Amino acid sequence: MRYPIAALLALALSAPAAAQSPGAPLLPPDATLLSVSAQAEASRAPDIATVSAGVVTQAADGNTAMRQNAEQMNRVLAAVRAAGVADRDVQTSGINLHPQYRYEENQPPRITGYQASNTVNVKLRDVAKMGKVLDALVASGANQINGPSFGIDNAEPLYDQARVEALRRARDRADTYAKALDLRVRRIVSISEGGAAMPVPMPRMAAMKAEAYDTPVAAGESSVSVNLDVVFELGR
């Protein structure tokens, strides 16, 4: 049986307004939805530190530059191990050999020697030893140092702390809106977590305990942040 187009339109318009798309939460007719964004941070003292150390050598030929570099780097690695750093926490990040040129007017560049470099990343699981390790690196022959950078080895508990605080802030904000509208918060409809920020150094600096002969290093604090988008149901 065929129905006139006008009848079909009338049937569609008369469908209940509360019809929801599949998977959408069922809401009472008097519900008001409120979407709130909240961000929170949590911080604590870092428990790991990373420093990049390298050896740069120069010689008239590439073979000599690389051999001298290897000898010097072996002493650096021995010093790192003597400082109590495990092999799994030392990783080579780059080995390079480059010719050195002399430039003269109206003349083609001329090779005058070679420069070799070898760089390792060293992770310390006792950040209080950073000053002592830096001194050991330089004393053993490292002539290129970058860092240190500080972080948190297992940051998930810190993220959980930030999540709880962000959710509390979102609820407080929802209560403020509800009170202004003479309503109350009935429930949370959905929670969406945005990209969590990795641990970053905080500007507040707290100097580590170090002996007088150690290079002074300040570890400060590392922080993480979490962003939440929370949808609340408001009603009377």
Side-chain angles (χ1 to χ4, degrees):
M1 181 178 180
R2 294 186 176 180
Y3 293 93
I5 294 178
L8 292 174
L9 289 174
L11 181 63
L13 292 174
S14 63
Q20 305 277 329
S21 60
L26 296 176
L27 300 172
D30 65 337
T32 298
L33 292 183
L34 172 67
S35 180
V36 173
S37 295
Q39 184 267 345
E41 293 184 353
S43 61
R44 67 176 175 84
D47 55 13
I48 57 173
T50 304
V51 62
S52 173
V55 171
V56 179
T57 55
Q58 293 182 342
D61 61 90
N63 183 56
T64 302
M66 288 294 289
R67 187 180 70 252
Q68 292 177 351
N69 190 282
E71 293 173 355
Q72 201 163 323
M73 179 54 80
N74 283 333
R75 291 194 294 269
V76 170
L77 293 176
V80 170
R81 294 187 184 96
V85 181
D87 288 343
R88 67 189 177 102
D89 292 328
V90 182
Q91 186 178 55
T92 298
S93 60
I95 298 175
N96 298 282
L97 177 66
H98 297 292
Q100 303 296 293
Y101 295 95
R102 174 179 294 174
Y103 297 91
E104 297 178 357
E105 190 175 357
N106 299 323
Q107 296 292 329
R110 184 167 61 89
I111 296 177
T112 59
Y114 289 85
Q115 177 176 287
S117 63
N118 190 337
T119 306
V120 294
N121 291 327
V122 180
K123 178 187 289 186
L124 293 182
R125 300 181 188 275
D126 183 356
V127 296
K129 292 183 177 180
M130 177 55 71
K132 184 174 293 186
V133 170
L134 289 174
D135 291 343
L137 288 170
V138 175
S140 61
N143 51 21
Q144 192 176 62
I145 291 179
N146 291 291
S149 60
F150 296 94
I152 298 171
D153 195 24
N154 179 18
E156 197 58 31
L158 202 59
Y159 279 118
D160 288 343
Q161 183 180 335
R163 290 180 180 109
V164 172
E165 176 61 19
L167 188 57
R168 184 194 66 78
R169 292 182 182 182
R171 177 58 194 256
D172 288 348
R173 200 165 298 169
D175 287 337
T176 298
Y177 279 107
K179 184 177 180 180
L181 296 170
D182 196 22
L183 300 173
R184 65 180 178 85
V185 177
R186 286 176 174 171
R187 63 177 178 130
I188 291 177
V189 177
S190 67
I191 301 176
S192 176
E193 181 177 317
M198 296 298 291
V200 295
M202 295 286 287
R204 300 188 303 272
M205 301 301 285
M208 295 190 305
K209 258 176 141 177
E211 300 296 333
Y213 55 82
D214 291 344
T215 297
V217 178
E221 288 187 335
S222 292
S223 70
V224 301
S225 65
V226 170
N227 295 282
L228 295 182
D229 292 315
V230 187
V231 177
F232 294 91
E233 178 189 326
L234 308 183
R236 300 203 178 268

